[in-house]
Amino acid sequence: MLELVQVHGYSGTGLNNVIAHSGAPKGSLYFHFPQGKEQLGEQAVVLAGTQFEDMIRGALGSAGPGESAGEIVESVTASLAQLLEGSDFRVGCPVSVVTLEMGAESERLRSACEQAYESWIVPVTEFLMARGHGASVARATASAVVSLVEGAMIVSRARRDVQPLRDAAVTLRTLLDLPADRTSAEA
């Protein structure tokens, strides 16, 4: 379902498409997901959230001692740009797709999307705090990082051009490579 949502959106992905794509018998789909498409969509969002969280944690964890936060963000956005270009801009972030399509329609899906975004904000917050930023500034900055990258992916897909992601990386590098404010350490 995750792959189909990335390409066709949540609304454009029917259970028959999922069954055909997976090759699984119809009965096993309903056995594992007795609550139907909404439950399957929720699990797809959870999976996507975990995959992106792992990518973020991996990038942050492999950072060298002299590597700046901005350099790390540039690396992550370059990977996302490759994903977009490699799919001819057909594949994007499934969490944003589900949020935009179903966030006002399904509390279950909205909550899953919120939790996915939170799982991306937390490691960035922790990283910034380890680099000397106070908790509240680190949290606000991490939220802005996730928001800017997600928005840049959406605009990149609309334009069929990764320049918005590159622009976001430049902006984030400027922001993230500022020295930690001493007053923010007290927050």
Side-chain angles (χ1 to χ4, degrees):
M1 172 119 181
L2 178 58
E3 291 174 19
L4 294 172
V5 168
Q6 284 180 296
V7 175
H8 304 291
Y10 179 84
S11 298
T13 301
L15 289 180
N16 289 333
N17 301 104
V18 174
I19 292 165
H21 184 73
S22 70
K26 190 178 249 186
S28 73
L29 178 74
Y30 289 106
F31 176 78
H32 292 289
F33 302 99
Q35 296 166 358
K37 182 177 176 179
E38 189 176 37
Q39 182 183 18
L40 186 58
E42 175 188 39
Q43 291 307 305
V45 168
V46 169
L47 177 60
T50 300
Q51 289 174 345
F52 275 75
E53 178 186 4
D54 290 347
M55 180 184 69
I56 292 165
R57 287 191 183 278
L60 296 173
S62 66
E67 193 171 13
S68 73
E71 290 170 322
I72 296 165
V73 167
E74 281 183 336
S75 172
V76 169
T77 56
S79 295
L80 295 173
Q82 287 177 334
L83 171 76
L84 289 174
E85 289 178 322
S87 71
D88 195 29
F89 297 90
R90 293 187 57 180
V91 173
C93 177
V95 178
S96 65
V97 170
V98 174
T99 300
L100 293 169
E101 287 185 30
M102 299 303 297
E105 303 297 321
S106 166
E107 179 58 24
R108 180 180 198 163
L109 292 173
R110 186 211 58 79
S111 179
C113 292
E114 177 185 23
Q115 290 170 21
Y117 287 128
E118 182 65 17
S119 75
W120 307 343
I121 292 168
V122 167
V124 177
T125 301
E126 293 167 350
F127 178 82
L128 292 172
M129 288 175 60
R131 296 275 175 117
H133 294 270
S136 63
V137 170
R139 170 81 185 173
T141 302
S143 179
V145 167
V146 169
S147 298
L148 184 56
V149 171
E150 276 290 274
M153 284 192 66
I154 292 168
V155 175
S156 288
R157 283 186 80 189
R159 289 185 181 169
R160 299 184 55 78
D161 181 4
V162 294
Q163 190 59 46
L165 264 173
R166 291 185 183 122
D167 294 342
V170 169
T171 300
L172 288 171
R173 185 168 188 169
T174 301
L175 172 68
L176 294 172
D177 288 349
L178 293 172
D181 182 355
R182 278 197 252 159
T183 59
S184 71
E186 298 168 11

